[in-house]
């Protein structure tokens, strides 16, 4: 009986020590700011892409590409790029906004490529490649950063506006051994209006 009560005392002392550690944590606060608007905008597929099977999805077919036709990010070998055109159509609430900015969340999609953080990681059997985005100036974007694709909103005088976003996607070598196969990926995007 004494052995059991000694064990209970040791366990109780350990538990009190752990509770003391938990109470010593740092405190802080989150401060949220934002604005709500009546703006109603849709993003649809333009030329070069097609609507996906779910609302908000855009399918981009990168085609059947040979490793011989693509290069590293530093080589800017972009001949096999697929043009992407997205059409923004705001039906109401756009009068106070002048610009749409498209930002990308590669980390929330298939992720950043392990060997070249400027690229989107691919899924599938292929190795040695990532997916890059090309901006309107024909420059490979860094998907690990905060680059955006910006376009002015063209207002219709009745509270609506439109914009056409043109950019591209291309396979890019990531510097590791290559292996053929499917090289797919996905990446959420957000439209910010300013």
């Amino acid at each position: 009986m004494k052995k059991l009560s000694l064990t209970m005392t040791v366990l109780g002392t350990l538990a009190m020590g752990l509770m003391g550690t938990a109470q010593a944590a740092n405190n802080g606060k989150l401060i949220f700011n934002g604005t709500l608007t009546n703006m109603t905008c849709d993003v649809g597929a333009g030329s070069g892409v097609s609507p996906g099977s779910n609302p908000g999805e855009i399918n981009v077919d990168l085609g059947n590409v040979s490793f011989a036709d693509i290069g590293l990010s530093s080589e800017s070998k972009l001949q096999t790029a697929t043009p992407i055109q997205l059409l923004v159509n705001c039906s109401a609430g756009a009068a106070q906004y002048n610009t749409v900015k498209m930002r990308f969340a590669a980390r929330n999609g298939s992720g950043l490529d392990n060997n070249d953080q400027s690229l989107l990681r691919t899924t599938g059997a292929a190795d040695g490649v990532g997916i890059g985005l090309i901006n309107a100036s024909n420059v490979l974007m860094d998907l690990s950063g905060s680059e955006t694709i910006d376009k002015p909103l063209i207002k219709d005088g009745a509270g609506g506006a439109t914009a056409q976003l043109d950019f591209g996607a291309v396979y890019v070598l990531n510097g590791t051994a290559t292996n053929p196969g499917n090289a797919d990926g996905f990446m959420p995007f957000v439209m910010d209006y300013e």
Side-chain angles (χ1 to χ4, degrees):
M1 187 72 171
K2 278 190 170 183
K3 190 173 186 180
L4 180 60
S5 62
L6 179 61
T7 303
M8 295 295 273
T9 303
V10 170
L11 287 175
T13 304
L14 283 174
M16 293 287 281
L18 290 176
M19 284 184 359
T21 303
Q23 292 175 353
N26 291 330
N27 295 322
K29 66 179 170 181
L30 298 173
I31 300 172
F32 299 96
N33 296 296
T35 304
L36 298 175
T37 133
N38 289 332
M39 192 166 186
T40 305
C41 299
D42 293 317
V43 178
S47 62
V49 293
S50 62
S53 53
N54 295 312
E57 289 181 350
I58 308 288
N59 288 329
V60 179
D61 185 358
L62 294 177
N64 218 351
V65 180
S66 169
F67 282 112
D69 295 331
I70 60 178
L72 296 166
S73 347
S74 58
E75 296 174 318
S76 296
K77 199 171 176 183
L78 309 174
Q79 305 86 292
T80 62
T82 298
I84 300 171
Q85 182 184 78
L86 298 182
L87 305 174
V88 177
N89 183 19
C90 303
S91 59
Q96 65 187 10
Y97 300 101
N98 297 311
T99 306
V100 59
K101 293 185 173 194
M102 182 180 195
R103 59 185 161 98
F104 303 95
R107 288 177 178 89
N108 295 335
S110 50
L112 294 171
D113 186 89
N114 292 333
N115 300 294
D116 185 340
Q117 294 282 298
S118 68
L119 304 174
L120 180 69
R121 179 185 306 133
T122 60
T123 60
D127 292 317
V129 68
I131 298 172
L133 288 187
I134 303 166
N135 64 22
S137 300
N138 209 32
V139 174
L140 199 60
M141 298 175 69
D142 181 355
L143 296 178
S144 69
S146 58
E147 289 183 66
T148 59
I149 295 175
D150 306 351
K151 276 298 199 152
L153 286 168
I154 299 167
K155 301 192 180 150
D156 65 9
T162 59
Q164 178 178 309
L165 304 174
D166 295 300
F167 55 106
V170 65
Y171 287 123
V172 179
L173 296 174
N174 66 14
T176 62
T178 58
N179 184 51
N182 286 352
D184 307 323
F186 70 98
M187 179 170 52
F189 63 84
V190 176
M191 297 298 206
D192 294 317
Y193 300 90
E194 298 179 354

